[in-house]
Amino acid sequence: MNYRARVERLAAGLAGHEIDALLITDLTNVRYLTGYTGSNGAVVATPSGSVFLTDFRYLERVAPLREFIDVQQANQDLIRFVSTRWAELAPGAARVGFESVHLSYAAHALLAEASGDVELVGVSGAVEGLRIVKDDDEIEAIRRAAAILEPVYAQLVGDGLAGRTEFDVAWRVQELVREHGGDGVAFDSIVASGAAGALPHAEPRREVIAPGSMVTIDIGAVLDGYHSDCTRTFATGPVPEPLGEVYELVLRAQLAGLDVVRPGVTGKDADAVVRDIITEAGHGEHFQHGTGHGVGLQIHEDPRLSVTYPATLEQGMVVTVEPGVYLPGVGGVRIEDLVVVTGDGCERLTGYPKELITAG
Ligand code: ZN
Ligand code: ZN
């Protein structure tokens, strides 16, 4: 990962936020900029040089960071440490930004109390705006995290779903993700059968999956900090209508979504293509979440494919396409792929088949 370039891009963009320096305390953003994975680190970015701060517990571990950023030892209370040292950390800075979305009210109060004449300015999205387009190293990491999911599904299907509890299947996902090289699951797996399939974020129950039902399995792996995300809906035998028809509808909408994801299309328009198909089939009210979301160091990040996201997609963005139809009391279907936006379309990173598979 080219951390030096990331820190430099951030520093070069500070003028655009009308600040002289920026304090980054969100650990995901700190990781993006430096690769630091501990629990107590911060970056002070300035155009004339940036500083990474951590306490003594991590000093040895962060030695490699010295290649591209000034590393300084702070005490464990980073906010207090930083707020009393602006003159050294950001010489001459009059306006210093903080991450308004991430800094707690208490931390801000502490910062404000000790920062003296430095004017504190709330800034949002400075690092997230860089993270939204993935570089080749990141795409490769996400690709590897996504590839883990194919053998996981294959093994779940091979072992069969009917007769096991949702809870048991979810636990098996955790084991399989590790067995296939993942560092862990990217989020609590969703295994939702029968009527529970109508709950988009169902929690796995200690209830046996019945034959002749639909089972939605939404899983992800995390590898080197990068996430993957995929959903397939399986049958455990002949399924009662209308779920079979609903499956075909959701698949058609999902394929149309994959077809429209390309540079220049807005998140809103991509969502509309998918949503219109479901609405025209009479199920608009049964699809109330967004069509997709960005995936990277976090499982849910920008961009979004949703009715409220007006910005355009760009090459190098990684998004999900995941329409669903949820019939209260009956069941549901969701089909989700993870894709990377290419020069003229998108490439699927989750290759597991999408025709309705019966896992008895
Ligand atoms: Zn998912
Ligand atoms: Zn998702």
Side-chain angles (χ1 to χ4, degrees):
M1 302 279 174
N2 193 347
Y3 298 117
R4 179 189 302 276
R6 293 178 186 177
V7 173
E8 284 173 1
R9 276 182 68 204
L10 176 67
L14 296 183
H17 296 282
E18 297 179 337
I19 49 176
D20 306 311
L22 176 60
L23 170 64
I24 296 106
T25 49
D26 174 68
L27 286 171
T28 306
N29 287 338
V30 170
R31 179 176 192 165
Y32 175 77
L33 294 170
T34 66
Y36 173 76
T37 55
S39 65
N40 196 35
V43 170
V44 175
T46 82
S48 57
S50 300
V51 183
F52 170 81
L53 299 132
T54 189
D55 66 72
F56 77 101
R57 294 172 298 169
Y58 297 102
L59 269 190
E60 200 172 318
R61 220 165 103 179
V62 301
L65 275 61
R66 294 183 191 276
E67 276 182 30
F68 58 88
I69 196 167
D70 180 16
V71 174
Q72 289 190 23
Q73 180 178 355
N75 52 37
Q76 287 194 26
D77 188 347
L78 288 184
I79 295 291
R80 192 181 296 275
F81 184 92
V82 166
S83 60
T84 54
R85 288 172 176 79
W86 287 122
E88 301 150 48
L89 296 169
R95 287 167 58 84
V96 171
F98 65 91
E99 295 181 286
S100 57
V101 174
H102 303 296
L103 200 70
S104 74
Y105 185 80
H108 178 265
L110 181 62
L111 194 63
E113 183 192 305
S115 287
D117 289 341
V118 166
E119 185 186 350
L120 297 172
V121 182
V123 170
S124 73
V127 181
E128 288 84 347
L130 304 178
R131 281 170 43 192
I132 194 167
V133 173
K134 274 65 183 174
D135 62 31
D136 290 348
D137 291 337
E138 295 183 285
I139 291 168
E140 194 45 40
I142 297 167
R143 187 188 300 281
R144 290 193 297 130
I148 290 168
L149 304 178
E150 290 171 48
V152 172
Y153 279 123
Q155 219 150 329
L156 291 179
V157 167
D159 292 348
L161 295 170
R164 311 175 66 180
T165 68
E166 295 173 354
F167 194 77
D168 179 43
V169 173
W171 171 244
R172 189 72 186 118
V173 170
Q174 205 153 332
E175 292 178 322
L176 287 169
V177 163
R178 297 269 185 134
E179 285 170 22
H180 290 287
D183 293 335
V185 291
F187 50 87
D188 290 338
S189 303
I190 295 171
V191 180
S193 67
L199 312 171
H201 275 192
E203 287 175 23
R205 302 167 298 169
R206 294 174 195 266
E207 275 187 42
V208 171
I209 298 169
S213 59
M214 293 287 233
V215 190
T216 299
I217 302 184
D218 187 347
I219 58 176
V222 61
L223 188 57
D224 295 336
Y226 284 86
H227 295 71
S228 61
D229 192 3
C230 184
T231 308
R232 293 293 182 265
T233 301
F234 299 96
T236 55
V239 290
E241 290 305 339
L243 289 175
E245 281 168 33
V246 163
Y247 191 95
E248 292 310 314
L249 170 65
V250 172
L251 180 56
R252 187 153 58 85
Q254 204 264 350
L255 293 172
L258 294 181
D259 226 42
V260 75
V261 168
R262 66 170 69 97
V265 72
T266 65
K268 198 175 159 169
D269 287 348
D271 178 87
V273 165
V274 173
R275 195 167 302 281
D276 286 353
I277 291 171
I278 291 173
T279 303
E280 275 161 29
H283 286 296
E285 69 190 290
H286 300 134
F287 173 36
Q288 295 205 10
H289 59 71
T291 291
H293 56 86
V295 173
L297 285 171
Q298 285 176 302
I299 184 64
H300 294 122
E301 56 183 50
D302 279 346
R304 312 281 163 168
L305 310 186
S306 77
V307 286
T308 56
Y309 195 85
T312 55
L313 301 180
E314 289 173 45
Q315 184 169 354
M317 289 181 174
V318 173
V319 295
T320 67
V321 178
E322 54 175 306
V325 167
Y326 311 94
L327 305 177
V330 178
V333 173
R334 179 167 65 254
I335 301 172
E336 172 179 32
D337 277 320
L338 185 62
V339 306
V340 54
V341 181
T342 60
D344 58 356
C346 69
E347 180 199 342
R348 265 174 78 191
L349 303 177
T350 41
Y352 193 75
K354 288 187 284 189
E355 74 273 12
L356 182 55
I357 290 172
T358 300

